[in-house]
Amino acid sequence: MKASGKINRKANGTAPGGSHKRTLVWLQSGGCGGCTLSLICAEQPDFLTVLDLAGIQLLWHPALSEASGSEVRAILDSVRSGETPLDILCIEGSVVHGPNGSGRFHLQSGSGEPMKDVIAELCRLAGTVIAVGTCAAFGGVTAAGENHVEATGIAYSGSVAGGLFDPSFRGRSGLRVINISGCPVHPDWVIETLLQLSLGVFTEADLDSLGRPKFYAEHLVHHGCPRNEYYEYKASAEHLSNLGCLMENLGCMATQVHADCNIRLWNGDGSCTRGGYPCISCTEPGFENQTHPYLETPKLAGIPIGLPTDMPKAWFVALAALSKAATPHRVKANAIADYIITAPSAAKGKAPK
Amino acid sequence: MSRRIVGPFNRVEGDLEIKLEIEDETVKSAWVNSPLYRGFERILNGKDPRDALVYTPRICGICSVSQSMAAAEALAEAQGLAAPANGRLMQNIILATENVADHFTHFYLFFMPDFARPVYAGEPWFGDIAARFKAVEGTAAREILPARAAFLHIMGRLAGHWPHTLGLQPGGTTHAIDRAEQARVLAIVAAFRRFLETRTFGDALERVIALKSADELRDWALRPGPAASDFGQFLRLAEALSLDKLGRATDRFLSYGAYRQDGGHLFKRGVHAGGKNAALNVADISEDVGASWYARSGGPRHPSCGITVPNADASDAYSWCKAPRLAGHVVEVGALARQLIDGHPLLRDLVKASGGNVANRVIGRLIEIARVVLAIEDWTRLIVPREAFYIDAEMPAEAEGAGLIEAARGSLGHWLTIRKGRIQNYQIVAPTTWNFSPRDSAGVPGACEQALAGAPVRAGEKDPVAVQHIVRSFDPCMVCTVH
């Protein structure tokens, strides 16, 4: 279904300041709770202020709400009976189908119902379904290894469309499942999605081919990486804590991974590569089952296999050879040091003292 | 005799269900169930050992660095590696930051909101507590979220981000900081300390940690600064509700020792029972699956040779959690255990008087916040920029290792076996596995199960508020428990 802006506005309710508050239920299943913990790191403003601003009424959130036990069951029953309309459903963690499709690896506490059935029922009632984190989006780490717990995402299993639901699933608003992937999510990715929904401006066209909001998924983790100069010259780190590019030897996938981690930054001014760690592609489906150790770059004839997807390999090899030959001493020396040992020249043509 | 099931439990990390047997308005017996199984120990089988640093933090989003630290220590032992001084200091700072943030989040967001429930509306202290601590709406939540987020900038600065930080390694940490970053970290800590001294304690941290006895604590809490503080408010209601008589478990405590330094730990390793410390014998640890949904494995096993084979049809089972025991005994772990074993005089005095209980667990946690924030300052000053933060080493093809550390919630252990360069076995015993253990093969209930026996049930209560206090006093992390 194509969701026009007009239909979307109506389905999503009124704009902030209007009388109708959008209701939100947050459920956790086969995950670690890390996306919630990341979300409450939100700053300027904090998550609770965002909810006020977006006109969102938290019917229930497992980490934040007062309601417990029978009170929670009453809230969920009221949604399930249709008495309380549900505008936004956020699912954190993967859907656990095992063992043998029974869902018994995750029964909802207090009711004993398989959580996968509770999630499915609420998804069908929700205006918009948001899969928060890579587990809910694609299966994530809970689906790693042999996946003996039979974990999937809501709308995807790895990169294959179809998880708990088949690809035709739409929320009442007409939108497909919004996959805010990331392990964990950046708090701003969730907040900006909620704010856009509340403004009634978020449409299917704002999602990439995997259902991820384009506002963060149209960037690569490589963008804004402070190691870019090392990348330009293929001046590579030899081991962790070196300053050089982490792509050639240490498994960094930032040039292929969709996210704005090095533009938006985390917890003030961090990112994995700024912290000295290679990008492990946590926003991508299947990141949990790499065919190589995370800290190793798979190579063929000395050349990394996982090159940027939109660049001809021969060009990459040729350019890399050229740039390696032209690497300034400064860049080459610093790449294999833990801190800057050779500073840029103070002025053009003048050697550093 | 009536039975009831309490769940879903909120403001608890992960999934928890409790079955209660109630008689004469009192809980007679409790059965604690973790109803979610993800199977991390099986996920790790066959993986490159270094990949444990990617997977194990994702056991838990609230204590991911703790999982990371335990994995790094297990790998370091397998490699025969010791991090350089800077690396060790950075690991301590990063782990301590998470632990402090966890205690802080627990107090304000998870524990205190229960006292703002309507069930307490008639209490003289209710108005102030509800205005400050009511879930979502109270003034505390609005204040502490920015303070917490700003404090976690230490993670962004030192290790990239939080949770699921990847910067802790067997050989140290991946980012060498310079003098400017060292100064910045001190500034972040100073800002957080100011919040603690203004709002949480109403006094200097040095004066808080110097409190030596229950009497001193009572006098201190009457002074104007502390009296108006959040801790002061808690102490008043704890006295009014006799929280020191609620939720006593085994009074046998364990700590693996927290924050390695100079061959020892900042907080000592050991066992505490009967008012005395004793040495910990790691070989005494075992896991029993008598009441757990796992294939029976011929009696309790030491985690270094533990087995995890799920069986949803296992007879007499009611939880995905295994039952860890120390020399066959149930033990309690957490901040109270750590401070007690380390010999902090205030906690020693409080436990001597009333044992491990709801009030003392919370006081232990708050005293620990103050002590650890001061330690973060010290460690940061000790870093020597431009010296090594990390050393690299090969991973042996055949090796074993154990990583025994302290997470916010208590003792966390990883046991690793490497064969032919791959993980052959990986077993994890998390803090909440100890505290929220189900019964063992001998039918002995776990620590929280014992703590719940005797909890009062008010007339008409469906989800007894006393049960909520007891459960949350342990700050359970159920996703870690079963992993």
Side-chain angles (χ1 to χ4, degrees):
Chain A
M1 186 199 287
K2 190 168 177 275
S4 72
K6 193 177 170 191
I7 290 168
N8 209 35
R9 257 195 296 281
K10 193 177 169 193
N12 279 330
T14 56
S19 57
H20 168 64
K21 277 208 157 198
R22 276 183 197 73
T23 56
L24 187 152
V25 165
W26 188 293
L27 295 180
Q28 294 172 330
S29 189
C32 70
C35 290
T36 283
L37 271 298
S38 183
L39 177 59
I40 60 172
C41 289
E43 292 175 271
Q44 298 174 329
D46 63 272
F47 179 58
L48 294 174
T49 302
V50 168
L51 292 180
D52 292 344
L53 185 67
I56 289 172
Q57 182 196 352
L58 210 51
L59 290 181
W60 193 64
H61 186 293
L64 300 170
S65 297
E66 177 177 295
S68 190
S70 58
E71 300 159 345
V72 184
R73 296 202 299 276
I75 292 167
L76 297 181
D77 286 347
S78 161
V79 171
R80 291 163 85 163
S81 71
E83 193 185 327
T84 303
L86 177 59
D87 296 305
I88 300 167
L89 175 66
C90 291
I91 305 291
E92 178 180 358
S94 42
V95 183
V96 177
H97 299 259
N100 302 315
S102 69
R104 288 170 71 194
F105 281 144
H106 189 197
L107 301 178
Q108 186 186 41
S109 67
S111 76
E113 290 177 75
M115 198 62 187
K116 70 180 175 68
D117 298 343
V118 176
I119 294 170
E121 188 181 345
L122 289 177
C123 282
R124 290 193 193 97
L125 292 165
T128 303
V129 176
I130 304 179
V132 182
T134 301
C135 285
F138 307 126
V141 158
T142 306
E146 292 167 4
N147 193 10
H148 72 297
V149 298
E150 302 161 43
T152 72
I154 306 292
Y156 282 84
S157 182
S159 55
V160 179
L164 179 64
F165 291 112
D166 69 41
S168 65
F169 176 83
R170 294 291 183 275
R172 279 189 295 103
S173 68
L175 264 183
R176 58 189 167 127
V177 175
I178 300 173
N179 284 329
I180 310 179
S181 66
C183 186
V185 289
H186 192 295
D188 292 357
W189 300 341
V190 179
I191 280 170
E192 289 173 18
T193 302
L194 291 175
L195 287 169
Q196 289 183 80
L197 283 170
S198 88
L199 290 167
V201 298
F202 198 92
T203 69
E204 190 112 359
D206 295 310
L207 299 173
D208 80 352
S209 62
L210 290 164
R212 297 176 296 197
K214 286 181 182 170
F215 69 82
Y216 80 87
E218 279 189 336
H219 299 278
L220 294 172
V221 172
H222 180 60
H223 298 162
C225 178
R227 294 167 192 255
N228 277 178
E229 191 185 32
Y230 300 102
Y231 175 82
E232 285 167 27
Y233 290 108
K234 302 293 165 289
S236 300
E238 286 175 359
H239 58 70
L240 293 171
S241 88
N242 284 169
L243 296 179
C245 177
L246 302 165
M247 187 271 256
E248 191 178 357
N249 301 322
L250 291 165
C252 185
M253 291 180 261
T255 55
Q256 305 152 68
V257 175
H258 297 76
D260 59 5
C261 299
N262 267 309
I263 299 170
R264 182 183 293 274
L265 303 185
W266 294 69
N267 301 103
D269 50 11
S271 73
C272 285
T273 60
R274 281 160 206 249
Y277 205 88
C279 170
I280 59 167
S281 76
C282 77
T283 56
E284 301 292 337
F287 99 94
E288 69 278 4
N289 275 328
Q290 295 298 338
T291 52
H292 57 90
Y294 287 92
L295 285 176
E296 279 178 17
T297 305
K299 293 177 193 172
L300 201 62
I303 297 167
I305 294 169
L307 297 177
T309 47
D310 42 10
M311 184 174 185
K313 194 166 265 188
W315 274 105
F316 182 91
V317 172
L319 284 173
L322 262 177
S323 60
K324 263 195 174 177
T327 307
H329 165 74
R330 171 179 61 82
V331 176
K332 198 178 274 182
N334 290 339
I336 52 170
D338 291 0
Y339 43 86
I340 291 169
I341 52 173
T342 307
S345 303
K348 202 181 173 188
K350 210 170 163 186
K353 284 179 187 168
Chain B
M1 180 86 74
S2 68
R3 283 176 180 241
R4 79 180 56 158
I5 288 173
V6 186
F9 250 89
N10 62 328
R11 286 178 282 113
V12 153
E13 180 41 54
D15 283 65
L16 170 65
E17 176 180 282
I18 296 181
K19 193 165 81 180
L20 300 172
E21 211 169 71
I22 296 166
E23 195 179 312
D24 301 332
E25 298 172 342
T26 304
V27 172
K28 288 289 162 208
S29 294
W31 288 261
V32 170
N33 171 17
S34 310
L36 168 64
Y37 169 81
R38 288 172 299 154
F40 271 75
E41 291 160 336
R42 296 186 65 85
I43 286 171
L44 286 158
N45 282 342
K47 299 282 186 193
D48 185 281
R50 294 166 296 171
D51 287 354
L53 289 167
V54 170
Y55 292 108
T56 59
R58 290 170 163 82
I59 287 171
C60 179
I62 194 163
C63 32
S64 67
V65 160
S66 304
Q67 297 287 351
S68 187
M69 190 69 240
E73 293 235 341
L75 291 166
E77 192 173 287
Q79 290 175 285
L81 193 61
N86 278 340
R88 179 57 75 190
L89 290 166
M90 288 274 278
Q91 288 176 342
N92 279 347
I93 296 166
I94 293 165
L95 177 59
T97 300
E98 176 177 273
N99 285 347
V100 166
D102 276 6
H103 287 339
F104 185 73
T105 309
H106 174 264
F107 179 74
Y108 283 106
L109 288 188
F110 300 164
F111 182 75
M112 289 303 286
D114 282 321
F115 299 98
R117 288 179 171 281
V119 68
Y120 289 126
E123 303 286 340
W125 43 261
F126 182 76
D128 289 345
I129 291 289
R132 181 82 181 135
F133 295 105
K134 191 162 178 58
V136 181
E137 293 156 33
T139 56
R142 309 277 160 157
E143 266 183 43
I144 73 109
L145 286 180
R148 172 186 177 277
F151 179 58
L152 286 168
H153 283 199
I154 293 175
M155 297 300 198
R157 182 60 71 162
L158 301 189
H161 65 73
W162 182 89
H164 303 338
T165 309
L166 291 158
L168 281 79
Q169 295 289 321
T173 52
T174 57
H175 174 60
I177 63 167
D178 58 21
R179 293 225 175 277
E181 288 176 298
Q182 186 180 25
R184 169 69 69 173
V185 171
L186 286 170
I188 295 168
V189 180
F192 187 64
R193 183 203 249 250
R194 186 162 289 179
F195 183 94
L196 293 173
E197 294 184 337
T198 311
R199 308 299 277 146
T200 309
F201 297 109
D203 202 352
L205 299 187
E206 287 84 352
R207 276 197 288 275
V208 174
I209 67 168
L211 293 166
K212 286 189 200 61
S213 66
D215 290 342
E216 274 189 39
L217 178 67
R218 207 170 293 121
D219 293 345
W220 174 83
L222 293 172
R223 290 194 220 148
S229 74
D230 296 327
F231 187 33
Q233 294 216 56
F234 166 76
L235 291 172
R236 269 200 300 286
L237 73 80
E239 196 160 316
L241 292 172
S242 299
L243 295 183
D244 60 341
K245 293 190 174 56
L246 195 65
R248 195 159 177 175
T250 62
D251 280 1
R252 185 183 291 272
F253 302 89
L254 163 70
S255 169
Y256 290 156
Y259 312 115
R260 253 182 225 274
Q261 50 185 32
D262 298 332
H265 292 92
L266 174 68
F267 302 144
K268 280 191 206 99
R269 172 179 286 202
V271 180
H272 186 95
K276 284 196 209 97
N277 270 9
L280 164 68
N281 183 1
V282 176
D284 286 344
I285 298 168
S286 65
E287 282 196 298
D288 184 305
V289 293
S292 312
W293 283 311
Y294 294 99
R296 302 292 175 244
S297 49
R301 300 178 81 95
H302 189 267
S304 61
C305 57
I307 295 172
T308 304
V309 180
N311 176 10
D313 298 314
S315 56
D316 302 323
Y318 63 92
S319 178
W320 290 108
C321 181
K322 294 181 185 175
R325 296 290 183 263
L326 185 69
H329 294 293
V330 172
V331 298
E332 174 178 339
V333 299
L336 176 60
R338 273 192 298 272
Q339 293 308 318
L340 198 55
I341 289 163
D342 193 53
H344 192 280
L346 173 61
L347 282 313
R348 280 275 169 100
D349 192 51
L350 288 167
V351 170
K352 197 174 157 196
S354 58
N357 54 54
V358 171
N360 291 347
R361 285 183 198 111
V362 175
I363 294 167
R365 213 170 269 129
L366 283 155
I367 292 296
E368 189 165 275
I369 288 179
R371 290 190 74 187
V372 176
V373 166
L374 294 173
I376 293 174
E377 289 183 352
D378 294 342
W379 292 323
T380 307
R381 287 196 191 95
L382 286 170
I383 285 174
V384 184
R386 297 183 86 84
E387 288 190 0
F389 285 73
Y390 171 87
I391 48 170
D392 209 34
E394 289 291 310
M395 187 62 65
E398 312 279 318
E400 291 85 37
L404 306 182
I405 67 131
E406 286 288 313
R409 291 159 196 81
S411 311
L412 168 65
H414 285 200
W415 284 265
L416 159 77
T417 307
I418 302 169
R419 292 288 175 264
K420 294 180 182 166
R422 297 273 149 180
I423 294 172
Q424 189 202 47
N425 197 19
Y426 205 110
Q427 293 287 317
I428 300 148
V429 183
T432 307
T433 321
W434 288 100
N435 288 338
F436 284 61
S437 146
R439 283 154 173 75
D440 54 30
S441 297
V444 180
C448 181
E449 290 182 336
Q450 293 189 30
L452 285 165
V457 180
R458 295 165 175 237
E461 267 191 324
K462 279 190 191 157
D463 309 282
V465 75
V467 169
Q468 314 266 336
H469 296 325
I470 293 167
V471 162
R472 294 204 182 91
S473 73
F474 287 98
D475 190 6
C477 184
M478 308 311 294
V479 291
C480 277
T481 305
V482 171
H483 38 269

